[in-house]
Amino acid sequence: MDRSTSLDIEALKMTQEQYMLAAQPNHLQRPPCTQAYPVGIYGWRKRCLYFFVLLLLVTMIVNLALTIWILKVMNFTVDGMGDLRITKQGVRLEGVSEFLLPLYVKEIQSRRDSPLVMQSDRNVTVNARNDLGQLTGQLTVGSEIVEAQCQRFEVRSSDGEKVLFSADEEEVSIGVEKLRVTGTEGVVFGHSVETPHIRAEPFQDLKLESPTRTLTMEAPKGVEISADVGDLKASCRKDLLVQSTEGEIFLNANTIRLGNIPHGTPASPLGPTYPKQTVYELCVCPSGKLYLSPAGTGSTCHSTSNVCLWS
């Protein structure tokens, strides 16, 4: 109780002292009042700020509208964009597409019910490279030429087991059972040709020709030339040589004709002359040249052997 009474007395004294100090005249000079400046943005700065805020708002609205329009026009969905669809197997593209830069893919497939068409204004080039980026194969389809560059070019059958055509630096191989050439000028070979059989089409002629050089046919076991229905004709401008080194030359026919054989004339008349000689004797010169001599009661080859002097 005494403690609370003492606290009240002290509080009363403090209040009296404050009253006395307030009642006394204040002889201290107060500092003069300073000029107050407004705080904030006013004037043209405020108008520029509002203008930029309004311009930013308009830009945001236009940008948002363009973004929505692009999404609508390009048909953006969760699966892709337009005709481009992203699936688990890869990327699926429908319709006509244009690629302005190189396209790097692992596999290109068309739909099951439509073909795959690749078009270009200049050419279509397909390149294959190894792990080091070096070019190992190239296929170029141009307006005037189709060019393939690789170590070996092969064309296989539909099942992929048989090689129909193959080409490399060493040889060109054709694996089909029949090779047909339908050109009017035939086939021109710059070098030798190896084949077991050359045959013309039915009711067509077979012609082997070398216009400016020699035509040679060689075989280790034999060369057979046969015409089962028609004629066999061999013609040349100069000499026609038929030679057998170890065998014989066998002519087997019902009739053997030798045309344009020269006629020998006797140095003196052999007997009575006839207006037209119809029977001749076949004679042979030492050089092998054949000539005809008028037939008589005996051999007349010796009397007409002057033909051998001209050979």
Side-chain angles (χ1 to χ4, degrees):
M1 185 69 181
D2 295 336
R3 185 177 179 181
S4 61
T5 304
S6 61
L7 290 174
D8 295 337
I9 295 173
E10 291 178 359
L12 181 61
K13 291 181 178 181
M14 292 177 64
T15 304
Q16 291 178 357
E17 291 177 358
Q18 292 177 356
Y19 177 77
M20 292 175 63
L21 291 174
Q24 291 179 1
N26 190 2
H27 301 287
L28 297 177
Q29 297 180 358
R30 295 182 178 180
C33 182
T34 59
Q35 185 178 0
Y37 291 95
V39 178
I41 300 176
Y42 299 94
W44 64 271
R45 294 183 179 88
K46 184 176 182 180
R47 290 191 295 270
C48 289
L49 178 61
Y50 287 162
F51 174 76
F52 283 119
V53 171
L54 181 62
L55 181 61
L56 180 60
L57 182 60
V58 172
T59 305
M60 291 176 60
I61 295 174
V62 173
N63 191 10
L64 181 60
L66 290 176
T67 303
I68 296 175
W69 178 75
I70 293 174
L71 292 176
K72 183 65 176 178
V73 171
M74 300 300 293
N75 194 14
F76 277 95
T77 60
V78 294
D79 296 331
M81 176 187 68
D83 295 333
L84 182 64
R85 295 289 184 267
I86 301 176
T87 61
K88 295 181 180 180
Q89 290 78 14
V91 178
R92 180 178 179 180
L93 186 60
E94 299 179 356
V96 180
S97 303
E98 296 183 3
F99 299 94
L100 304 179
L101 296 176
L103 177 63
Y104 299 92
V105 295
K106 182 180 179 181
E107 184 178 359
I108 299 178
Q109 293 182 357
S110 64
R111 297 178 56 181
R112 295 182 179 179
D113 56 348
S114 61
L116 177 63
V117 179
M118 302 177 66
Q119 295 181 356
S120 175
D121 294 338
R122 295 186 178 180
N123 56 40
V124 177
T125 303
V126 180
N127 296 331
R129 301 180 182 273
N130 55 11
D131 298 338
L132 301 178
Q134 299 175 352
L135 184 64
T136 58
Q138 185 181 65
L139 177 62
T140 302
V141 180
S143 58
E144 298 180 354
I145 186 173
V146 178
E147 181 179 358
Q149 178 182 355
C150 56
Q151 296 181 355
R152 182 177 177 84
F153 179 76
E154 291 185 355
V155 177
R156 294 181 174 270
S157 58
S158 58
D159 55 1
E161 296 181 356
K162 185 177 181 180
V163 179
L164 304 180
F165 178 86
S166 64
D168 55 16
E169 296 182 357
E170 300 295 334
E171 65 178 4
V172 175
S173 176
I174 300 176
V176 295
E177 297 180 357
K178 180 186 297 184
L179 176 62
R180 178 177 297 176
V181 179
T182 59
T184 57
E185 298 296 331
V187 183
V188 179
F189 297 97
H191 299 282
S192 61
V193 180
E194 297 182 5
T195 177
H197 189 194
I198 299 177
R199 185 184 66 182
E201 288 290 332
F203 307 104
Q204 298 294 331
D205 297 334
L206 176 62
K207 185 177 182 181
L208 302 179
E209 181 181 7
S210 178
T212 59
R213 292 296 184 268
T214 304
L215 178 62
T216 305
M217 291 186 293
E218 298 179 353
K221 293 186 178 181
V223 177
E224 180 180 356
I225 301 175
S226 63
D228 297 334
V229 179
D231 300 334
L232 178 61
K233 181 180 180 182
S235 62
C236 62
R237 182 175 181 181
K238 294 184 178 181
D239 298 336
L240 177 61
L241 178 62
V242 180
Q243 181 180 2
S244 177
T245 57
E246 297 181 0
E248 61 182 7
I249 299 175
F250 179 66
L251 300 177
N252 184 11
N254 296 329
T255 303
I256 298 177
R257 295 181 180 179
L258 301 176
N260 297 328
I261 298 178
H263 294 260
T265 58
S268 60
L270 298 178
T273 59
Y274 298 95
K276 184 176 181 181
Q277 184 72 30
T278 58
V279 180
Y280 292 90
E281 182 181 359
L282 181 62
C283 305
V284 182
C285 297
S287 62
K289 180 179 179 180
L290 300 178
Y291 66 95
L292 297 179
S293 177
T297 56
S299 178
T300 60
C301 293
H302 182 71
S303 61
T304 58
S305 60
N306 54 357
V307 179
C308 299
L309 301 177
W310 305 337
S311 59

